[in-house]
Amino acid sequence: QWALQPPGYFKDWIVGVRQTSNGKLRGFITGIPAKVRVHDTMVEMAEINFLCVHKKLRSKRLAPVLIKEITRRVNLRNMWQAVYTAGVVIPTPMAKCRYWHRTINPKKLIAVGFSSLGPRMTMARTIRLYKLPAQTQIPGFRKMELKDAAAVAKMLKGYLSQFNIWIEFDESEVKHWLFTRDGVVNSFVVENPETKEVTDFCSFYHIPSTVIGNDTYKAVNAAYSYYNVAKSVPLKDLMHDALISAANIGCDVFNCLDVMENKTFIDELKFGKGDGNLQYYFYNYSCPTMDPENVGIVLL
């Protein structure tokens, strides 16, 4: 419901392929409408995501069929452009971004093989290195409420407009994408204790991963940085409180891309560089390549 049914979604943009003999899902692809700003131009696009094909069918050219079908359905709505991301490099990415990981529960991450002990590091020293305070540090830092949606929408639009590409969210979309849903997305605001004005905002969404072959741990709970706006406090301090909040609800690792202004807090908050890149692409829209810090879009 959160990822695939935002305001204005189209049911026929959720495409699955089932095996006729047993009804099992063998392939899947989705699209949702998005108002994308590219430099100073607003373009109605489809945001394409969740392309997956059963591992035994991956040599059967099912993925191009799915892509062709979602393209046809998007075109029927008189939309001719799309934005998507991929871990592989195909011609031609408009931006190449890197994932960074901030360990929250080092004992678990090392046990399941997500990370390893550093040279000359013991488990006790590693736990101490990544330990976070129990309480958030910024006065007025609290969970986002529905009444904050208008203030967050205005703040988000003002902040994102400095980047080369960004998605324009209205108040109903802010309520859908950013209002806290347990286990799905968490959002927090900073409220000035005196004026009661909402001045800052941070958010992260959750993607749990199943652990195979470990008797102690069955899943890794990963938080992914979403949209963050710091006006009255440094972004580093805001994200430090986001890390504390993620730890308090049981997240094991906090991930972020080096998009927007995220590079300003990566080193100080002890993020480690990830293995892979994430490429951003437009379909049927020409755009000069750009550095990650000029990208204002986070796709799930």
Side-chain angles (χ1 to χ4, degrees):
Q1 283 186 332
W2 180 67
L4 300 181
Q5 297 180 359
Y9 83 99
F10 302 113
K11 194 174 180 180
D12 59 318
W13 286 12
I14 302 172
V15 183
V17 174
R18 293 188 182 275
Q19 190 170 327
T20 50
S21 59
N22 57 20
K24 288 186 176 179
L25 195 65
R26 298 306 189 197
F28 189 69
I29 193 169
T30 70
I32 56 171
K35 298 187 289 288
V36 181
R37 285 268 177 191
V38 186
H39 296 280
D40 296 323
T41 306
M42 203 279 281
V43 186
E44 295 272 356
M45 290 194 185
E47 196 179 297
I48 304 300
N49 216 334
F50 303 113
L51 169 62
C52 46
V53 173
H54 190 279
K55 61 183 178 182
K56 290 183 179 176
L57 300 175
R58 286 179 192 165
S59 61
K60 308 294 184 189
R61 304 290 294 165
L62 184 54
V65 174
L66 288 166
I67 293 165
K68 200 170 182 179
E69 177 60 18
I70 194 73
T71 303
R72 184 186 72 83
R73 295 185 184 204
V74 170
N75 291 164
L76 287 174
R77 301 277 180 182
N78 199 29
M79 284 191 206
W80 307 92
Q81 284 77 33
V83 59
Y84 61 99
T85 58
V88 294
V89 178
I90 52 179
T92 302
M94 61 177 169
K96 186 182 287 187
C97 306
R98 172 78 72 163
Y99 267 116
W100 292 72
H101 311 287
R102 205 292 186 180
T103 296
I104 294 174
N105 185 345
K107 188 176 179 182
K108 181 175 180 179
L109 295 180
I110 290 167
V112 302
F114 182 91
S115 55
S116 57
L117 275 178
R120 298 184 298 280
M121 286 291 283
T122 63
M123 182 63 77
R125 284 176 67 189
T126 304
I127 291 170
R128 198 158 57 244
L129 175 67
Y130 291 114
K131 187 173 173 61
L132 290 160
Q135 300 294 323
T136 55
Q137 314 287 294
I138 300 170
F141 186 91
R142 61 166 174 82
K143 188 184 285 190
M144 178 186 166
E145 299 171 6
L146 277 177
K147 66 178 183 180
D148 304 317
V152 170
K154 183 180 177 182
M155 204 186 329
L156 201 54
K157 185 175 182 179
Y159 175 72
L160 293 178
S161 61
Q162 69 182 295
F163 302 109
N164 289 352
I165 59 165
W166 53 286
I167 292 176
E168 205 168 293
F169 295 105
D170 61 25
E171 192 175 328
S172 66
E173 289 167 325
V174 165
K175 286 177 181 176
H176 175 86
W177 289 115
L178 299 173
F179 184 64
T180 293
R181 301 173 187 227
D182 291 339
V184 179
V185 62
N186 287 85
S187 298
F188 302 87
V189 297
V190 177
E191 183 182 77
N192 187 305
E194 294 171 6
T195 65
K196 302 300 178 187
E197 179 191 2
V198 172
T199 56
D200 309 82
F201 164 80
C202 64
S203 58
F204 52 86
Y205 60 93
H206 303 258
I207 301 181
S209 300
T210 303
V211 175
I212 299 170
N214 189 291
D215 296 331
T216 309
Y217 302 109
K218 300 302 176 192
V220 170
N221 299 311
Y224 285 76
S225 176
Y226 202 20
Y227 288 102
N228 313 294
V229 183
K231 291 170 69 180
S232 72
V233 296
L235 182 59
K236 175 184 74 72
D237 294 350
L238 186 67
M239 295 310 297
H240 186 246
D241 274 8
L243 285 171
I244 295 167
S245 302
N248 288 342
I249 57 176
C251 295
D252 303 310
V253 61
F254 192 101
N255 303 321
C256 80
L257 287 165
D258 54 1
V259 296
M260 296 182 269
E261 296 180 303
N262 290 355
K263 282 181 181 176
T264 61
F265 63 76
I266 278 172
D267 289 334
E268 284 191 75
L269 294 182
K270 302 172 186 172
F271 280 75
K273 199 172 190 177
D275 293 335
N277 290 317
L278 187 72
Q279 280 72 225
Y280 278 73
Y281 299 93
F282 279 143
Y283 168 77
N284 198 29
Y285 196 88
S286 181
C287 176
T289 57
M290 62 190 77
D291 293 327
E293 51 265 33
N294 293 319
V295 175
I297 294 179
V298 179
L299 299 185
L300 306 181

